[in-house]
Every structure is written in C-alpha cells, then in structure tokens.
Amino acid sequence: MKIENQIMAYCPYCNKHTLHKVSVFAKSAPRGQAWHTLLHNRKITGYVGSVSPKQHPKKLGKRQVLLLQCTVCKKTVQRSLFGRSKKKVEVKR
Ligand SMILES: [Zn+2]
C-alpha cells in the first residue's frame, strides 16, 4: 500500500490542519536494561535450560505506524493508519 509523502493533517501543537511530511515508524531494538527484562532475568535465575514462556494468542498482522512531521512547527506525531493489518505501508517518492 502506497501513500503520499506529504499530506494535510491535524497538528496538535499548531491546533489546525497543516502540511505534514510522512515517514514510516521503525521500531528500535529492545533494551536489555528495561525494567521488565530485569524482572524476568531475576525470576529465571537458578533455572538451567530454557524456561517456557507464557502462551499468548497470535495477533493477525501489525499496526502500521506513520510519523508525521509538521512543516510549520517541525514537531513529530505518531499516527496509526488502520487497526491490525497484513498490508505494509510504503511512502511514495
Ligand atoms: Zn505544527
């Protein structure tokens, strides 16, 4: 699915619709010192081998998140296009 590289969207900082630059949000690598990672590591100390994780239901698709940068105030806002979907979002050149 392709979207335009510049769209008119609402900017909460300017409090009106302005032109926004569009890019796709890329998730960074998980932090090794995050709070719940530390809790999990503390919990499994003493166990040898793999500890079976909790069974979670499988989610169908991912949320496609866009980064919208306002051309007036240069602030960036995250915006989800739709719910969970298997479509991938690309920005037109
Ligand atoms: Zn703005």
Side-chain angles (χ1 to χ4, degrees):
M1 185 182 176
K2 290 191 172 178
I3 43 171
E4 299 290 330
N5 55 4
Q6 282 197 330
I7 57 168
M8 284 292 279
Y10 176 73
C11 175
Y13 300 97
C14 305
N15 204 19
K16 61 184 176 186
H17 277 72
T18 52
L19 201 64
H20 281 74
K21 263 188 181 177
V22 181
S23 55
V24 180
F25 176 72
K27 201 180 174 185
S28 57
R31 294 184 298 137
Q33 291 292 305
W35 176 236
H36 280 93
T37 310
L38 294 178
L39 282 186
H40 178 72
N41 288 340
R42 201 180 304 150
K43 197 175 176 183
I44 63 170
T45 49
Y47 288 93
V48 180
S50 61
V51 178
S52 66
K54 261 186 188 173
Q55 291 291 317
H56 293 291
K58 266 202 170 172
K59 302 280 164 64
L60 297 172
K62 288 187 171 182
R63 290 197 177 93
Q64 300 297 323
V65 180
L66 297 179
L67 287 178
L68 301 179
Q69 193 189 30
C70 178
T71 50
V72 179
C73 63
K74 307 286 181 195
K75 295 259 189 186
T76 311
V77 190
Q78 281 187 17
R79 190 79 40 96
S80 179
L81 260 192
F82 27 68
R84 291 185 182 275
S85 164
K86 291 196 170 172
K87 284 179 183 173
K88 273 212 164 179
V89 172
E90 283 175 56
V91 180
K92 275 186 193 170
R93 295 265 160 177

PDB file of all heavy atoms in Angstrom, residues 29-59:
ATOM      1  N   ALA A  29      15.567  -1.706  18.522  1.00  0.00           N
ATOM      2  CA  ALA A  29      15.825  -2.978  19.204  1.00  0.00           C
ATOM      3  C   ALA A  29      15.409  -2.861  20.672  1.00  0.00           C
ATOM      4  O   ALA A  29      15.515  -1.783  21.260  1.00  0.00           O
ATOM      5  CB  ALA A  29      17.300  -3.325  19.101  1.00  0.00           C
ATOM      6  N   PRO A  30      14.920  -3.969  21.292  1.00  0.00           N
ATOM      7  CA  PRO A  30      14.503  -3.906  22.690  1.00  0.00           C
ATOM      8  C   PRO A  30      15.691  -3.651  23.619  1.00  0.00           C
ATOM      9  O   PRO A  30      16.794  -4.157  23.385  1.00  0.00           O
ATOM     10  CB  PRO A  30      13.877  -5.278  22.937  1.00  0.00           C
ATOM     11  CG  PRO A  30      14.422  -6.151  21.881  1.00  0.00           C
ATOM     12  CD  PRO A  30      14.670  -5.285  20.697  1.00  0.00           C
ATOM     13  N   ARG A  31      15.461  -2.883  24.682  1.00  0.00           N
ATOM     14  CA  ARG A  31      16.533  -2.536  25.608  1.00  0.00           C
ATOM     15  C   ARG A  31      16.806  -3.705  26.553  1.00  0.00           C
ATOM     16  O   ARG A  31      15.890  -4.312  27.086  1.00  0.00           O
ATOM     17  CB  ARG A  31      16.142  -1.310  26.428  1.00  0.00           C
ATOM     18  CG  ARG A  31      16.018  -0.058  25.606  1.00  0.00           C
ATOM     19  CD  ARG A  31      15.730   1.124  26.503  1.00  0.00           C
ATOM     20  NE  ARG A  31      14.477   0.976  27.199  1.00  0.00           N
ATOM     21  CZ  ARG A  31      14.307   1.264  28.489  1.00  0.00           C
ATOM     22  NH1 ARG A  31      15.302   1.720  29.200  1.00  0.00           N
ATOM     23  NH2 ARG A  31      13.145   1.105  29.053  1.00  0.00           N
ATOM     24  N   GLY A  32      18.091  -4.015  26.770  1.00  0.00           N
ATOM     25  CA  GLY A  32      18.459  -5.113  27.652  1.00  0.00           C
ATOM     26  C   GLY A  32      18.311  -4.754  29.118  1.00  0.00           C
ATOM     27  O   GLY A  32      18.215  -5.628  29.975  1.00  0.00           O
ATOM     28  N   GLN A  33      18.298  -3.447  29.438  1.00  0.00           N
ATOM     29  CA  GLN A  33      18.194  -2.997  30.824  1.00  0.00           C
ATOM     30  C   GLN A  33      16.794  -2.486  31.144  1.00  0.00           C
ATOM     31  O   GLN A  33      16.614  -1.775  32.129  1.00  0.00           O
ATOM     32  CB  GLN A  33      19.227  -1.894  31.087  1.00  0.00           C
ATOM     33  CG  GLN A  33      20.664  -2.384  31.067  1.00  0.00           C
ATOM     34  CD  GLN A  33      20.986  -3.293  32.234  1.00  0.00           C
ATOM     35  OE1 GLN A  33      20.802  -2.940  33.372  1.00  0.00           O
ATOM     36  NE2 GLN A  33      21.469  -4.493  31.931  1.00  0.00           N
ATOM     37  N   ALA A  34      15.820  -2.845  30.305  1.00  0.00           N
ATOM     38  CA  ALA A  34      14.446  -2.410  30.569  1.00  0.00           C
ATOM     39  C   ALA A  34      13.924  -3.080  31.835  1.00  0.00           C
ATOM     40  O   ALA A  34      14.355  -4.182  32.205  1.00  0.00           O
ATOM     41  CB  ALA A  34      13.554  -2.750  29.383  1.00  0.00           C
ATOM     42  N   TRP A  35      12.969  -2.436  32.507  1.00  0.00           N
ATOM     43  CA  TRP A  35      12.523  -2.856  33.835  1.00  0.00           C
ATOM     44  C   TRP A  35      11.992  -4.289  33.842  1.00  0.00           C
ATOM     45  O   TRP A  35      12.378  -5.112  34.670  1.00  0.00           O
ATOM     46  CB  TRP A  35      11.459  -1.868  34.315  1.00  0.00           C
ATOM     47  CG  TRP A  35      10.822  -2.207  35.620  1.00  0.00           C
ATOM     48  CD1 TRP A  35       9.490  -2.365  35.861  1.00  0.00           C
ATOM     49  CD2 TRP A  35      11.481  -2.442  36.878  1.00  0.00           C
ATOM     50  NE1 TRP A  35       9.277  -2.673  37.171  1.00  0.00           N
ATOM     51  CE2 TRP A  35      10.479  -2.727  37.816  1.00  0.00           C
ATOM     52  CE3 TRP A  35      12.801  -2.453  37.271  1.00  0.00           C
ATOM     53  CZ2 TRP A  35      10.763  -3.014  39.141  1.00  0.00           C
ATOM     54  CZ3 TRP A  35      13.087  -2.743  38.593  1.00  0.00           C
ATOM     55  CH2 TRP A  35      12.071  -3.010  39.511  1.00  0.00           C
ATOM     56  N   HIS A  36      11.144  -4.638  32.905  1.00  0.00           N
ATOM     57  CA  HIS A  36      10.572  -5.974  32.931  1.00  0.00           C
ATOM     58  C   HIS A  36      11.539  -7.033  32.422  1.00  0.00           C
ATOM     59  O   HIS A  36      11.391  -8.213  32.758  1.00  0.00           O
ATOM     60  CB  HIS A  36       9.254  -5.990  32.166  1.00  0.00           C
ATOM     61  CG  HIS A  36       8.146  -5.443  33.013  1.00  0.00           C
ATOM     62  ND1 HIS A  36       7.787  -4.114  32.966  1.00  0.00           N
ATOM     63  CD2 HIS A  36       7.398  -6.011  33.963  1.00  0.00           C
ATOM     64  CE1 HIS A  36       6.825  -3.921  33.855  1.00  0.00           C
ATOM     65  NE2 HIS A  36       6.566  -5.048  34.464  1.00  0.00           N
ATOM     66  N   THR A  37      12.538  -6.639  31.635  1.00  0.00           N
ATOM     67  CA  THR A  37      13.590  -7.581  31.257  1.00  0.00           C
ATOM     68  C   THR A  37      14.411  -7.955  32.493  1.00  0.00           C
ATOM     69  O   THR A  37      14.749  -9.123  32.701  1.00  0.00           O
ATOM     70  CB  THR A  37      14.500  -6.952  30.191  1.00  0.00           C
ATOM     71  OG1 THR A  37      13.691  -6.420  29.164  1.00  0.00           O
ATOM     72  CG2 THR A  37      15.429  -7.981  29.592  1.00  0.00           C
ATOM     73  N   LEU A  38      14.696  -6.956  33.343  1.00  0.00           N
ATOM     74  CA  LEU A  38      15.435  -7.224  34.575  1.00  0.00           C
ATOM     75  C   LEU A  38      14.628  -8.129  35.503  1.00  0.00           C
ATOM     76  O   LEU A  38      15.168  -9.066  36.099  1.00  0.00           O
ATOM     77  CB  LEU A  38      15.767  -5.905  35.286  1.00  0.00           C
ATOM     78  CG  LEU A  38      16.739  -4.962  34.585  1.00  0.00           C
ATOM     79  CD1 LEU A  38      16.924  -3.691  35.391  1.00  0.00           C
ATOM     80  CD2 LEU A  38      18.079  -5.645  34.371  1.00  0.00           C
ATOM     81  N   LEU A  39      13.322  -7.872  35.629  1.00  0.00           N
ATOM     82  CA  LEU A  39      12.453  -8.698  36.476  1.00  0.00           C
ATOM     83  C   LEU A  39      12.453 -10.146  35.990  1.00  0.00           C
ATOM     84  O   LEU A  39      12.583 -11.082  36.787  1.00  0.00           O
ATOM     85  CB  LEU A  39      11.018  -8.166  36.434  1.00  0.00           C
ATOM     86  CG  LEU A  39      10.657  -6.937  37.245  1.00  0.00           C
ATOM     87  CD1 LEU A  39       9.167  -6.692  37.149  1.00  0.00           C
ATOM     88  CD2 LEU A  39      11.074  -7.089  38.695  1.00  0.00           C
ATOM     89  N   HIS A  40      12.330 -10.309  34.652  1.00  0.00           N
ATOM     90  CA  HIS A  40      12.282 -11.650  34.074  1.00  0.00           C
ATOM     91  C   HIS A  40      13.595 -12.382  34.323  1.00  0.00           C
ATOM     92  O   HIS A  40      13.603 -13.557  34.716  1.00  0.00           O
ATOM     93  CB  HIS A  40      11.999 -11.543  32.575  1.00  0.00           C
ATOM     94  CG  HIS A  40      11.968 -12.853  31.870  1.00  0.00           C
ATOM     95  ND1 HIS A  40      10.939 -13.759  32.025  1.00  0.00           N
ATOM     96  CD2 HIS A  40      12.851 -13.433  31.018  1.00  0.00           C
ATOM     97  CE1 HIS A  40      11.187 -14.825  31.302  1.00  0.00           C
ATOM     98  NE2 HIS A  40      12.334 -14.665  30.672  1.00  0.00           N
ATOM     99  N   ASN A  41      14.734 -11.670  34.127  1.00  0.00           N
ATOM    100  CA  ASN A  41      16.038 -12.300  34.325  1.00  0.00           C
ATOM    101  C   ASN A  41      16.231 -12.702  35.782  1.00  0.00           C
ATOM    102  O   ASN A  41      16.818 -13.744  36.069  1.00  0.00           O
ATOM    103  CB  ASN A  41      17.156 -11.347  33.880  1.00  0.00           C
ATOM    104  CG  ASN A  41      17.200 -11.211  32.383  1.00  0.00           C
ATOM    105  OD1 ASN A  41      16.689 -12.065  31.671  1.00  0.00           O
ATOM    106  ND2 ASN A  41      17.786 -10.134  31.897  1.00  0.00           N
ATOM    107  N   ARG A  42      15.720 -11.864  36.728  1.00  0.00           N
ATOM    108  CA  ARG A  42      15.844 -12.180  38.147  1.00  0.00           C
ATOM    109  C   ARG A  42      15.006 -13.415  38.478  1.00  0.00           C
ATOM    110  O   ARG A  42      15.387 -14.263  39.261  1.00  0.00           O
ATOM    111  CB  ARG A  42      15.387 -10.975  38.971  1.00  0.00           C
ATOM    112  CG  ARG A  42      15.930 -10.979  40.386  1.00  0.00           C
ATOM    113  CD  ARG A  42      15.444  -9.764  41.138  1.00  0.00           C
ATOM    114  NE  ARG A  42      15.791  -8.529  40.454  1.00  0.00           N
ATOM    115  CZ  ARG A  42      15.052  -7.416  40.527  1.00  0.00           C
ATOM    116  NH1 ARG A  42      13.927  -7.405  41.221  1.00  0.00           N
ATOM    117  NH2 ARG A  42      15.430  -6.330  39.906  1.00  0.00           N
ATOM    118  N   LYS A  43      13.837 -13.528  37.835  1.00  0.00           N
ATOM    119  CA  LYS A  43      12.911 -14.614  38.118  1.00  0.00           C
ATOM    120  C   LYS A  43      13.479 -15.964  37.662  1.00  0.00           C
ATOM    121  O   LYS A  43      13.264 -16.980  38.320  1.00  0.00           O
ATOM    122  CB  LYS A  43      11.591 -14.335  37.398  1.00  0.00           C
ATOM    123  CG  LYS A  43      10.408 -15.134  37.903  1.00  0.00           C
ATOM    124  CD  LYS A  43       9.147 -14.677  37.206  1.00  0.00           C
ATOM    125  CE  LYS A  43       7.970 -15.532  37.621  1.00  0.00           C
ATOM    126  NZ  LYS A  43       6.757 -15.161  36.910  1.00  0.00           N
ATOM    127  N   ILE A  44      14.193 -15.966  36.528  1.00  0.00           N
ATOM    128  CA  ILE A  44      14.654 -17.240  35.978  1.00  0.00           C
ATOM    129  C   ILE A  44      16.064 -17.592  36.418  1.00  0.00           C
ATOM    130  O   ILE A  44      16.627 -18.563  35.931  1.00  0.00           O
ATOM    131  CB  ILE A  44      14.558 -17.264  34.432  1.00  0.00           C
ATOM    132  CG1 ILE A  44      15.466 -16.223  33.799  1.00  0.00           C
ATOM    133  CG2 ILE A  44      13.133 -17.100  33.965  1.00  0.00           C
ATOM    134  CD1 ILE A  44      15.590 -16.360  32.307  1.00  0.00           C
ATOM    135  N   THR A  45      16.666 -16.843  37.361  1.00  0.00           N
ATOM    136  CA  THR A  45      17.984 -17.228  37.855  1.00  0.00           C
ATOM    137  C   THR A  45      17.846 -18.531  38.646  1.00  0.00           C
ATOM    138  O   THR A  45      16.896 -18.721  39.407  1.00  0.00           O
ATOM    139  CB  THR A  45      18.592 -16.141  38.771  1.00  0.00           C
ATOM    140  OG1 THR A  45      17.621 -15.768  39.732  1.00  0.00           O
ATOM    141  CG2 THR A  45      19.063 -14.943  37.998  1.00  0.00           C
ATOM    142  N   GLY A  46      18.805 -19.438  38.449  1.00  0.00           N
ATOM    143  CA  GLY A  46      18.756 -20.713  39.144  1.00  0.00           C
ATOM    144  C   GLY A  46      18.183 -21.813  38.294  1.00  0.00           C
ATOM    145  O   GLY A  46      18.427 -22.990  38.543  1.00  0.00           O
ATOM    146  N   TYR A  47      17.388 -21.463  37.274  1.00  0.00           N
ATOM    147  CA  TYR A  47      16.861 -22.474  36.364  1.00  0.00           C
ATOM    148  C   TYR A  47      17.895 -22.763  35.297  1.00  0.00           C
ATOM    149  O   TYR A  47      18.527 -21.843  34.781  1.00  0.00           O
ATOM    150  CB  TYR A  47      15.570 -21.999  35.695  1.00  0.00           C
ATOM    151  CG  TYR A  47      14.389 -21.971  36.618  1.00  0.00           C
ATOM    152  CD1 TYR A  47      14.051 -20.808  37.299  1.00  0.00           C
ATOM    153  CD2 TYR A  47      13.608 -23.107  36.807  1.00  0.00           C
ATOM    154  CE1 TYR A  47      12.966 -20.779  38.152  1.00  0.00           C
ATOM    155  CE2 TYR A  47      12.522 -23.093  37.655  1.00  0.00           C
ATOM    156  CZ  TYR A  47      12.200 -21.915  38.325  1.00  0.00           C
ATOM    157  OH  TYR A  47      11.142 -21.901  39.153  1.00  0.00           O
ATOM    158  N   VAL A  48      18.083 -24.040  34.962  1.00  0.00           N
ATOM    159  CA  VAL A  48      19.014 -24.412  33.910  1.00  0.00           C
ATOM    160  C   VAL A  48      18.208 -24.779  32.669  1.00  0.00           C
ATOM    161  O   VAL A  48      17.183 -25.447  32.779  1.00  0.00           O
ATOM    162  CB  VAL A  48      19.903 -25.601  34.359  1.00  0.00           C
ATOM    163  CG1 VAL A  48      20.868 -25.986  33.266  1.00  0.00           C
ATOM    164  CG2 VAL A  48      20.635 -25.227  35.627  1.00  0.00           C
ATOM    165  N   GLY A  49      18.662 -24.353  31.531  1.00  0.00           N
ATOM    166  CA  GLY A  49      17.940 -24.625  30.295  1.00  0.00           C
ATOM    167  C   GLY A  49      16.903 -23.553  30.043  1.00  0.00           C
ATOM    168  O   GLY A  49      16.891 -22.506  30.684  1.00  0.00           O
ATOM    169  N   SER A  50      16.008 -23.842  29.119  1.00  0.00           N
ATOM    170  CA  SER A  50      15.038 -22.822  28.732  1.00  0.00           C
ATOM    171  C   SER A  50      13.816 -22.889  29.630  1.00  0.00           C
ATOM    172  O   SER A  50      13.374 -23.955  30.031  1.00  0.00           O
ATOM    173  CB  SER A  50      14.627 -23.009  27.283  1.00  0.00           C
ATOM    174  OG  SER A  50      14.018 -24.266  27.128  1.00  0.00           O
ATOM    175  N   VAL A  51      13.297 -21.734  29.978  1.00  0.00           N
ATOM    176  CA  VAL A  51      12.067 -21.646  30.757  1.00  0.00           C
ATOM    177  C   VAL A  51      10.946 -21.357  29.779  1.00  0.00           C
ATOM    178  O   VAL A  51      11.048 -20.443  28.972  1.00  0.00           O
ATOM    179  CB  VAL A  51      12.184 -20.531  31.812  1.00  0.00           C
ATOM    180  CG1 VAL A  51      10.887 -20.406  32.576  1.00  0.00           C
ATOM    181  CG2 VAL A  51      13.339 -20.814  32.735  1.00  0.00           C
ATOM    182  N   SER A  52       9.899 -22.158  29.853  1.00  0.00           N
ATOM    183  CA  SER A  52       8.837 -21.988  28.859  1.00  0.00           C
ATOM    184  C   SER A  52       8.119 -20.667  29.082  1.00  0.00           C
ATOM    185  O   SER A  52       7.733 -20.354  30.205  1.00  0.00           O
ATOM    186  CB  SER A  52       7.849 -23.143  28.942  1.00  0.00           C
ATOM    187  OG  SER A  52       7.163 -23.095  30.174  1.00  0.00           O
ATOM    188  N   PRO A  53       7.958 -19.872  28.018  1.00  0.00           N
ATOM    189  CA  PRO A  53       7.278 -18.597  28.165  1.00  0.00           C
ATOM    190  C   PRO A  53       5.770 -18.780  28.215  1.00  0.00           C
ATOM    191  O   PRO A  53       5.254 -19.853  27.925  1.00  0.00           O
ATOM    192  CB  PRO A  53       7.689 -17.839  26.905  1.00  0.00           C
ATOM    193  CG  PRO A  53       7.921 -18.912  25.916  1.00  0.00           C
ATOM    194  CD  PRO A  53       8.422 -20.104  26.671  1.00  0.00           C
ATOM    195  N   LYS A  54       5.055 -17.731  28.608  1.00  0.00           N
ATOM    196  CA  LYS A  54       3.594 -17.755  28.642  1.00  0.00           C
ATOM    197  C   LYS A  54       3.061 -17.873  27.223  1.00  0.00           C
ATOM    198  O   LYS A  54       3.630 -17.291  26.300  1.00  0.00           O
ATOM    199  CB  LYS A  54       3.075 -16.452  29.256  1.00  0.00           C
ATOM    200  CG  LYS A  54       2.710 -16.569  30.719  1.00  0.00           C
ATOM    201  CD  LYS A  54       2.073 -15.269  31.171  1.00  0.00           C
ATOM    202  CE  LYS A  54       1.877 -15.270  32.664  1.00  0.00           C
ATOM    203  NZ  LYS A  54       1.407 -13.969  33.138  1.00  0.00           N
ATOM    204  N   GLN A  55       1.971 -18.593  27.072  1.00  0.00           N
ATOM    205  CA  GLN A  55       1.352 -18.726  25.761  1.00  0.00           C
ATOM    206  C   GLN A  55       0.441 -17.537  25.519  1.00  0.00           C
ATOM    207  O   GLN A  55      -0.494 -17.293  26.282  1.00  0.00           O
ATOM    208  CB  GLN A  55       0.549 -20.025  25.684  1.00  0.00           C
ATOM    209  CG  GLN A  55       1.402 -21.277  25.685  1.00  0.00           C
ATOM    210  CD  GLN A  55       2.211 -21.447  24.418  1.00  0.00           C
ATOM    211  OE1 GLN A  55       1.697 -21.230  23.337  1.00  0.00           O
ATOM    212  NE2 GLN A  55       3.480 -21.816  24.554  1.00  0.00           N
ATOM    213  N   HIS A  56       0.736 -16.781  24.473  1.00  0.00           N
ATOM    214  CA  HIS A  56      -0.101 -15.648  24.115  1.00  0.00           C
ATOM    215  C   HIS A  56      -0.831 -15.972  22.819  1.00  0.00           C
ATOM    216  O   HIS A  56      -0.290 -16.659  21.962  1.00  0.00           O
ATOM    217  CB  HIS A  56       0.752 -14.391  23.922  1.00  0.00           C
ATOM    218  CG  HIS A  56       1.371 -13.915  25.189  1.00  0.00           C
ATOM    219  ND1 HIS A  56       0.616 -13.372  26.206  1.00  0.00           N
ATOM    220  CD2 HIS A  56       2.651 -13.893  25.627  1.00  0.00           C
ATOM    221  CE1 HIS A  56       1.422 -13.046  27.209  1.00  0.00           C
ATOM    222  NE2 HIS A  56       2.668 -13.350  26.883  1.00  0.00           N
ATOM    223  N   PRO A  57      -2.051 -15.481  22.676  1.00  0.00           N
ATOM    224  CA  PRO A  57      -2.737 -15.686  21.401  1.00  0.00           C
ATOM    225  C   PRO A  57      -2.023 -14.954  20.286  1.00  0.00           C
ATOM    226  O   PRO A  57      -1.455 -13.890  20.512  1.00  0.00           O
ATOM    227  CB  PRO A  57      -4.128 -15.101  21.640  1.00  0.00           C
ATOM    228  CG  PRO A  57      -3.960 -14.180  22.797  1.00  0.00           C
ATOM    229  CD  PRO A  57      -2.870 -14.736  23.631  1.00  0.00           C
ATOM    230  N   LYS A  58      -2.039 -15.551  19.093  1.00  0.00           N
ATOM    231  CA  LYS A  58      -1.326 -14.932  17.971  1.00  0.00           C
ATOM    232  C   LYS A  58      -2.120 -13.764  17.429  1.00  0.00           C
ATOM    233  O   LYS A  58      -3.330 -13.865  17.234  1.00  0.00           O
ATOM    234  CB  LYS A  58      -1.100 -15.962  16.866  1.00  0.00           C
ATOM    235  CG  LYS A  58       0.238 -16.639  16.958  1.00  0.00           C
ATOM    236  CD  LYS A  58       0.660 -17.217  15.617  1.00  0.00           C
ATOM    237  CE  LYS A  58       2.112 -17.679  15.701  1.00  0.00           C
ATOM    238  NZ  LYS A  58       2.505 -18.397  14.500  1.00  0.00           N
ATOM    239  N   LYS A  59      -1.449 -12.657  17.197  1.00  0.00           N
ATOM    240  CA  LYS A  59      -2.100 -11.480  16.616  1.00  0.00           C
ATOM    241  C   LYS A  59      -2.028 -11.586  15.095  1.00  0.00           C
ATOM    242  O   LYS A  59      -1.037 -12.069  14.550  1.00  0.00           O
ATOM    243  CB  LYS A  59      -1.398 -10.207  17.087  1.00  0.00           C
ATOM    244  CG  LYS A  59      -1.367 -10.040  18.594  1.00  0.00           C
ATOM    245  CD  LYS A  59      -2.674  -9.508  19.104  1.00  0.00           C
ATOM    246  CE  LYS A  59      -2.847  -9.668  20.590  1.00  0.00           C
ATOM    247  NZ  LYS A  59      -1.910  -8.936  21.387  1.00  0.00           N
TER     248      LYS A  59
END
